[in-house]
């Protein structure tokens, strides 16, 4: 089964890095244009677009509540936070940075961890788009995308906001597909 | 410094700061929350009020001359280096727990999440770079020291209050001024 | 090997065709840039910031990540070592729960169970909003409506507050060493930070948790003294770590240390055992000899035994030994009782007298004034315009304690009473700089007081309970991301300074309070924040100037690479003291002039056991934690995740309490429920609980919901109580409580 197209990963990544509803709505439009015709994909995009909140600050508030300083259990966006050491800048950060450097890039913000879910997804989108070796894709997926299931578990436990619920469904789909 | 190596512990100097525990965790990236602490400081009380006293003991793996853990392991996950350090290859571990049953010091511990045993490595990686184990190097008072076993073996006793008899395992630790 | 992927992974120069057209994929450029940094490893020198032992650190930083922290050889205080907290320091830097960006609340309702509805905002918006609020409140309600809960540092922050005419800056020092500071200003001319334990032959300790809570600067000294055969005598209701080091330990009744100290003075004065030369030359003893002898006549060791449970013969013998087997020292600081009980001000005076009689003030083996490198502050480097007069009411009531105001200290323990009862509604704005509710007795009262403040700013590294009540939250750097010059003050017979530098760049958008001070200053009081040449004061330029003028080098960058500066100079003991008379003052006429006791008088602690509350309540700081700020550190949390009620086996047996059983500890102020831990080391009329636990907020994923707040049973105070009790040093009574214990 082929992996979802790169723009899907790019969208998921962006949606975890920004809370600008208008920008996200625009990107969904873009996504619709970039994805090859497919009913399931259309439906998914429509559900995401419909789920975007109309109230200006709704996304911001929920994002802060879930990811920045949640008042419930934490759903950190950095892979290291889910590891056994429960700290930022753990082995996942080191590994992500190695991947980025091997590709000649690094995060634009050097004082933040490199293993942010959004960054990892954006990077994977680029990998996919530049025709990377399937073994490398598979390895990156194992090392740096599979953990997103845990993120999705956490977010779904703690949010009622439709957009983030749809986004987690998207994440699960993106992470579950393996190229054989 | 060639091995074998050993620990020397003086409870009179220990101020229970637990720098040894923290430095070990930090250097070795020992996971938290999975019931694994390579080095632990325990305080034993004795006597009764008001004639009381306490004894702190910092213990990790004693890299025993007769390492029962290694002998008990059915999958040969334990290996002794030429310098005497006993290393556990957790990736070979099948989680049977025999080593824990045989070790009198509680050194091998079951990681609750991975279901494999882990234990103190005497910071073999630091020793290979000419450094001391993290715990001994950070101990603020010198209560816990580390060095050549030949220079330590005659400096104290082999067990401290409450410890099992050392005759079988012959742990490479000596306690100075043990009460 | 990853390098083989370079061929097909070249992204910097553009990738597949699709990406040129895909807006989605083009977003990559917003978040990534060409790699500029290469993997590296370095060791950087800095100073720990967890406690003010400020031990020097060598930080191993690999690839921009702190891997290991260890001590700095040659540092006088840490002496090349770190304690458990310091070794675990990376856990504060990399705490996933740490505050990362400025935030503002959108839910106007405030409470520990309310979701604040925080959204992220820019620093610009945060600072502009805060400045607007300050401007508005100050104009409409005067500077007294602004409350700043902060230590008086750094210098630019103090400048900002003085420029605004702030009346109500309050810090926690009443819960620490304030009584010692207030009293010693008049007895010997200031609080001597140095304790020359290693040269002491007789170390007398009242309480003195310094070793138990591992302030390394002190632990090293006491151990060194012991190696050299010094005698250590400890009075403490618990056989704690320090007791193990002591040659003699007495399980003294809580609050009665003052009785023992007074009786010791009685013996030493009666039997003329004091250091005659020092006393004659450098004190006012002879001038007030009659008053002194008469005053202490009544404080016999027998009298002291009845109050303290320390045998009279021991008090007598120890007094004689103390006076004749010196050099002798009695240290005093927070857990050496400067803050514990209502009689702490009197105890501070008594302890000062003991040191004076021993003749070791600023002498080898005694308490001494730290020799420091003179590091000028911002006011010396850029002289400010005249500061406005401070006019307004002190909300903590310390205008009733003029000697406390003289040293610009305040009172945490009376603050809530001031905000709720004495001056309700006066405080419109509060800025909390790293303090939390857990630092107050009766925290729920402080919570109520805080909820009623119209606008609250919280600046911290962690999202504490206080942050839940904030209107704006500002993310602070940790000490591992800060810049400063850190002189040694505890071990400072010769001057030494250690650098504090960011071992990694400040994470996320965290900033220092010094930076915030300047930014707010620019907005509110710009005339105080320009250099003589008209530019804005910059933190970096200020640091460079301080380095240069202190003779530490030509720039901060240069001092960063050196890391530590030690000045060899002979220690010249003081022969005059900064008191009004120029001598050490045993009898303090200035106290008499104010209507206070010129010599220490026996007063009991405020709360005494009764039928309803028969047991003494003690609190302590465990070695592995620092007050209430470390409970979320993963390594430290694992070692000690929560607190328990420590009860003696004897008492537990009597009350039918088993190990681990839940108990309710109740005082007239409130109750806590927690598991019992039985111990042989505690007096059977006491119960002891570790401070620092009981964070409510789930924003602290490890510490939230763990343990109980020790302060929930400790009475907060009204300033009138201090005045009535002769507590003119404002000691915070942080352990002055009696309780009942019930098994649940």
């Amino acid at each position: 089964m082929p992996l979802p197209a790169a723009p899907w990963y790019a969208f998921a990544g962006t949606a975890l890095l920004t809370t600008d509803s208008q920008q996200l709505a625009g990107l969904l439009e873009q996504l619709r244009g970039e994805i090859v015709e497919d009913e399931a994909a259309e439906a998914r995009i429509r559900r995401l677009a419909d789920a975007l909140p109309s109230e200006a600050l709704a996304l911001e508030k929920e994002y802060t509540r879930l990811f920045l300083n949640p008042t419930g259990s934490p759903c950190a966006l950095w892979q290291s936070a889910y590891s056994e050491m429960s700290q930022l800048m753990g082995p996942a950060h080191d590994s992500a940075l190695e991947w980025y450097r091997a590709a000649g890039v690094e995060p634009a913000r050097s004082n933040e961890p490199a293993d942010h879910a959004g960054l990892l997804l954006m990077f994977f989108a680029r990998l996919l788009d530049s025709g990377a070796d399937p073994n490398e894709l598979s390895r990156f997926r194992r090392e740096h995308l599979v953990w997103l299931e845990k993120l999705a578990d956490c977010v779904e436990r703690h949010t009622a906001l439709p957009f983030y619920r749809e986004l987690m469904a998207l994440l699960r789909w993106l992470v579950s597909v393996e190229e054989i | 410094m060639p091995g074998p190596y050993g620990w020397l512990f003086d409870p009179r100097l220990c101020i229970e700061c637990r720098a040894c525990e923290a430095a070990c965790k930090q250097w070795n990236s020992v996971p938290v929350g999975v019931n694994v602490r390579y080095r632990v400081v325990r305080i034993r009380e004795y006597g009764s009020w008001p004639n009381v006293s306490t004894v702190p003991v910092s213990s990790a793996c004693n890299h025993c001359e007769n390492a029962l853990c290694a002998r008990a392991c059915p999958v040969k996950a334990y290996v002794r280096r030429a310098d005497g350090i006993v290393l556990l290859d957790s990736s070979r571990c099948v989680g049977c727990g025999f080593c824990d049953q045989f070790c009198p010091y509680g050194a091998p511990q079951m990681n609750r999440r991975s279901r494999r045993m882990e234990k103190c490595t005497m910071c073999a990686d630091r020793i290979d770079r000419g450094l001391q184990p993290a715990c001994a190097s950070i101990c603020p008072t010198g209560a816990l020291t580390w060095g050549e076993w030949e220079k330590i073996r005659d400096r104290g006793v082999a067990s401290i209050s409450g410890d099992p008899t050392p005759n079988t395992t012959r742990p490479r630790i000596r306690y100075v001024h043990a009460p | 090997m990853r390098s083989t992927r370079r061929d097909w992974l070249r992204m910097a120069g553009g990738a597949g065709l699709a990406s040129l057209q895909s807006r989605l994929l083009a977003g990559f450029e917003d978040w990534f840039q060409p790699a500029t940094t290469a993997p590296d490893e370095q060791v950087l020198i800095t100073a720990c910031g967890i406690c003010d032992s400020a031990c020097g650190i060598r930080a191993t930083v690999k690839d921009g990540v702190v891997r290991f922290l260890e001590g700095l050889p040659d540092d006088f205080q840490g002496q090349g070592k770190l304690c458990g907290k310091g070794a675990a320091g990376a856990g504060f830097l990399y705490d996933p729960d740490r505050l990362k960006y400025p935030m503002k609340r959108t839910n106007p309702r405030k409470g520990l169970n309310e979701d604040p509805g925080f959204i992220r905002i820019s620093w610009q918006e945060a600072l502009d909003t805060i400045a607007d609020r300050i401007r508005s409140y100050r104009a409409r309600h005067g500077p007294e409506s602004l409350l700043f809960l902060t230590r008086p540092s750094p210098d630019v922050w103090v400048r900002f507050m003085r420029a605004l005419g702030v009346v109500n800056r309050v810090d926690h020092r009443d819960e620490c060493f304030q009584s010692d500071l207030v009293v010693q200003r008049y007895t010997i001319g200031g609080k001597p930070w140095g304790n020359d334990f290693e040269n002491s032959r007789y170390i007398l300790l009242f309480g003195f948790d310094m070793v138990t809570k591992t302030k390394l600067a002190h632990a090293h000294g006491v151990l060194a003294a012991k190696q050299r055969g010094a005698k250590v005598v400890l009075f403490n209701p618990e056989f704690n770590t320090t007791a193990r080091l002591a040659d003699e330990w007495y399980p003294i009744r809580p609050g009665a240390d003052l009785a023992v100290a007074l009786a010791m003075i009685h013996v030493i004065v009666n039997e003329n055992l004091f250091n005659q030369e020092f006393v004659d030359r450098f004190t006012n003893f002879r001038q007030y000899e009659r008053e002194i002898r008469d005053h202490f006549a009544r404080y016999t060791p027998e009298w002291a035994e009845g109050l303290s449970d320390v045998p009279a013969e021991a008090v007598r013998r120890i007094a004689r030994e103390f006076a004749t087997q010196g050099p002798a020292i009695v240290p005093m600081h927070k857990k050496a009782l400067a803050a514990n009980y209502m009689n702490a001000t009197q105890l501070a005076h008594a302890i000062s007298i003991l040191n004076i009689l021993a003749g070791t003030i600023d002498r080898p083996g005694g308490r001494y004034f730290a020799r420091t490198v003179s590091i000028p502050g911002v006011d010396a480097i850029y002289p400010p315009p005249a500061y406005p007069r401070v006019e307004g009411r002190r909300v903590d009531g310390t205008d009733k304690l003029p000697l406390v105001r003289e040293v610009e200290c305040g009172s945490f323990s009376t603050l809530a009473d001031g905000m709720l009862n004495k001056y309700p509604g006066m405080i419109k704005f509060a800025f909390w700089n790293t303090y939390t509710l857990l630092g107050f007795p009766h925290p729920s009262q402080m919570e109520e007081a805080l909820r009623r403040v119209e606008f609250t700013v919280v600046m911290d590294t962690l999202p504490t309970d206080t942050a839940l009540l904030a209107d704006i939250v500002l993310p602070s750097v940790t000490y591992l991301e800060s810049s400063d010059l850190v002189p040694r003050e505890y071990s400072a017979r010769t001057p030494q300074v250690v650098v504090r530098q960011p071992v990694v760049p400040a994470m996320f958008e965290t900033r220092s309070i010094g930076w915030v001070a300047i930014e707010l200053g620019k907005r509110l009081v710009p005339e105080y924040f320009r250099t003589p040449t008209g530019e804005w004061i910059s933190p970096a330029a200020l640091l460079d100037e301080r380095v240069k003028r202190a003779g530490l080098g030509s720039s901060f960058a240069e001092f960063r690479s050196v890391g530590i500066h030690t000045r060899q100079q002979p220690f010249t003991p003081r022969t005059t003291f900064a008191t009004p008379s120029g001598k050490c003052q045993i009898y303090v006429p200035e106290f008499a002039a104010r209507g206070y006791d010129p010599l220490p008088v026996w007063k009991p602690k405020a709360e005494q056991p009764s039928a309803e509350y028969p047991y003494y309540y003690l609190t302590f700081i465990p070695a592995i934690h620092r007050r209430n700020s470390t409970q979320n550190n993963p390594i430290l949390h694992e070692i000690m995740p929560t607190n328990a009620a420590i009860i003696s086996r004897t008492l537990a047996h009597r009350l039918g309490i088993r190990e681990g059983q839940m108990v309710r500890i109740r005082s007239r102020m409130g109750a806590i429920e927690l598991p019992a831990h039985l111990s042989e080391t505690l007096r059977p009329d006491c119960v002891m609980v570790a401070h620092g636990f009981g964070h409510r907020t789930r924003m602290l994923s490890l510490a939230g919901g763990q343990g109980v707040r020790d302060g929930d049973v400790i009475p907060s105070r009204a300033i009138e109580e201090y005045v009535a009790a002769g507590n003119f040093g404002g000691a915070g009574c942080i352990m002055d409580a009696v309780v009942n214990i019930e098994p649940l």
Side-chain angles (χ1 to χ4, degrees), chain C residues 123-141:
Chain C
W123 268 105
Q124 172 92 321
E125 181 184 336
L127 293 163
D128 286 344
T129 309
I130 294 170
D132 283 345
R133 286 283 181 159
I134 291 178
R135 190 178 295 118
S136 157
Y137 291 128
R138 187 161 157 255
R140 286 189 287 137
H141 304 285

Side-chain angles (χ1 to χ4, degrees), chain B residues 11-27 30-37 43 45-56 126 129 134 136-142, chain C residues 41 66-70 80-85 87-88 90-91 211-212 214 216 219-220 223 227 237 239 241 244-245 249 251 623-624 634-636 638-639 649-650 677-684:
Chain B
R12 284 181 330 170
L13 295 175
C14 177
I15 58 173
E16 302 161 31
C17 70
R18 297 193 156 90
C20 53
E21 292 199 43
C24 170
K25 278 263 169 178
Q26 182 67 30
W27 179 266
V30 181
V32 296
V34 295
N35 214 36
V36 171
R37 289 159 73 181
I43 299 150
E45 297 177 0
Y46 56 93
S48 57
W49 182 267
N51 302 309
V52 298
S53 191
T54 55
V55 171
R126 285 178 64 96
R129 286 160 55 166
S137 81
I138 210 158
C139 175
T141 62
Chain C
E41 177 167 331
V66 174
R67 306 291 169 175
F68 195 59
L69 299 171
E70 54 196 321
K81 308 294 181 184
L82 297 177
C83 73
K85 303 179 286 291
V211 172
T212 309
T214 69
L216 283 189
H220 284 305
L223 281 168
Q227 312 277 48
F239 186 93
T241 314
R244 227 183 20 244
L245 299 178
W249 160 71
I624 202 61
I635 291 176
L636 305 180
E638 186 179 53
I639 294 173
R649 287 186 196 280
T650 316
H677 171 62
L678 307 190
S679 172
E680 212 51 64
T681 62
L682 186 62
R683 273 179 68 110

Side-chain angles (χ1 to χ4, degrees), chain C residues 37-194:
Chain C
T37 53
D40 72 345
E41 177 167 331
Q42 41 178 347
V43 175
L44 294 167
I45 292 176
T46 191
C48 191
I50 301 173
C51 87
D52 57 359
S53 191
C55 301
I57 291 176
R58 274 172 305 151
T60 302
V61 182
K62 185 158 167 284
D63 222 0
V65 179
V66 174
R67 306 291 169 175
F68 195 59
L69 299 171
E70 54 196 321
L72 180 66
D74 301 334
D75 161 40
F76 292 154
Q77 308 210 138
Q79 296 187 23
K81 308 294 181 184
L82 297 177
C83 73
K85 303 179 286 291
F92 305 117
L93 183 60
Y94 299 136
D95 189 337
D97 299 328
R98 75 179 289 191
L99 294 174
K100 307 171 185 78
Y101 308 104
M103 299 192 298
K104 79 173 181 197
R105 87 185 290 123
T106 55
N107 174 7
R109 277 193 319 277
K110 291 181 178 176
L112 291 187
N113 295 319
E114 282 282 350
D115 178 352
F118 284 133
I119 56 169
R120 180 180 162 179
I121 56 176
S122 67
W123 268 105
Q124 172 92 321
E125 181 184 336
L127 293 163
D128 286 344
T129 309
I130 294 170
D132 283 345
R133 286 283 181 159
I134 291 178
R135 190 178 295 118
S136 157
Y137 291 128
R138 187 161 157 255
R140 286 189 287 137
H141 304 285
E144 69 178 14
S145 65
L146 309 172
L147 174 63
F148 287 82
L149 285 133
T150 177
R151 290 161 184 72
S153 67
D155 53 359
V156 286
W157 181 227
V158 173
R159 168 176 285 206
F160 170 70
M161 290 184 283
R162 293 184 73 186
L164 279 183
V166 167
V167 180
N168 287 303
R169 182 195 64 75
V170 189
D171 60 54
H172 76 294
R173 288 182 291 178
D174 65 313
E175 298 179 345
C176 192
F177 59 85
Q178 182 174 289
S179 65
D180 188 44
L181 175 63
V182 166
V183 164
Q184 297 231 72
R185 194 150 165 274
Y186 284 96
T187 54
I188 64 171
K191 178 179 162 74
W193 287 92

Side-chain angles (χ1 to χ4, degrees), chain A residues 88 99 106 111 126 132 136, chain C residues 5 8 29 36 94 506 508:
Chain A
L88 299 174
W99 274 99
E106 65 186 20
N111 64 346
R126 263 301 172 101
E136 293 303 319
Chain C
R5 303 206 303 272
W8 56 268
E29 318 295 342
T36 52
Y94 299 136
F508 305 103

Side-chain angles (χ1 to χ4, degrees), chain A residues 73-84:
Chain A
S73 294
C75 296
L77 283 173
W78 301 275
Q79 186 177 355
S80 291
Y82 293 84
S83 78
E84 285 183 327

Side-chain angles (χ1 to χ4, degrees), chain C residues 573-594:
Chain C
R574 286 194 189 179
T575 51
T576 61
F577 298 89
T579 60
S581 66
K583 295 177 181 237
C584 292
Q585 307 195 127
I586 294 174
Y587 178 103
V588 181
E590 290 78 21
F591 291 169
R594 293 232 185 236

Side-chain angles (χ1 to χ4, degrees), chain C residues 313-487:
Chain C
E313 73 69 33
V315 175
R316 185 166 278 114
R317 176 177 50 76
I318 288 166
R320 289 169 179 159
E321 289 172 2
F322 176 84
T324 58
Q325 292 176 20
I329 183 174
V330 193
M332 191 177 202
H333 202 68
K334 169 183 185 156
K335 283 308 177 84
L337 307 182
N340 291 24
Y341 307 114
M342 190 65 86
N343 58 11
T345 303
Q346 306 292 334
L347 179 62
H349 195 172
I351 286 179
S352 189
I353 291 174
L354 281 170
N355 284 302
I356 292 172
L357 293 175
T360 53
I361 305 294
D362 208 50
R363 300 287 182 277
R367 300 182 72 179
Y368 64 94
F369 298 97
R371 300 322 196 237
T372 55
V373 171
S374 170
I375 303 176
V378 66
D379 282 5
I381 296 171
Y382 305 123
Y387 290 115
R389 256 180 61 111
V390 176
E391 280 167 343
R393 298 165 289 174
R394 284 284 305 188
V395 66
D396 62 359
T398 51
D399 42 5
K400 306 248 184 345
L401 299 180
L403 294 188
V404 169
R405 294 303 315 137
E406 252 182 40
V407 291
E408 297 188 352
C409 281
S411 175
F412 258 23
S413 295
T414 58
L415 182 59
D417 177 65
M419 289 172 74
L420 288 170
N421 303 322
K422 302 285 198 313
Y423 306 106
M426 176 171 94
I427 301 295
K428 303 287 186 216
F429 170 92
F431 191 114
W432 289 65
N433 184 18
T434 76
Y435 287 126
T436 82
L437 292 178
L438 266 60
F440 289 83
H442 197 28
S444 54
Q445 186 192 25
M446 194 61 222
E447 177 196 334
E448 181 56 31
L450 180 58
R451 277 191 338 104
R452 297 189 195 183
V453 174
E454 270 186 38
F455 197 85
T456 297
V457 179
V458 169
M459 179 153 182
D460 208 327
T461 55
L462 288 173
T464 61
D465 292 350
T466 336
L468 277 176
L469 304 175
D471 291 280
I472 285 189
V473 173
L474 302 177
S476 172
V477 287
T478 64
Y479 63 92
L480 290 169
E481 302 149 301
S482 299
S483 299
D484 207 347
L485 302 170
V486 190

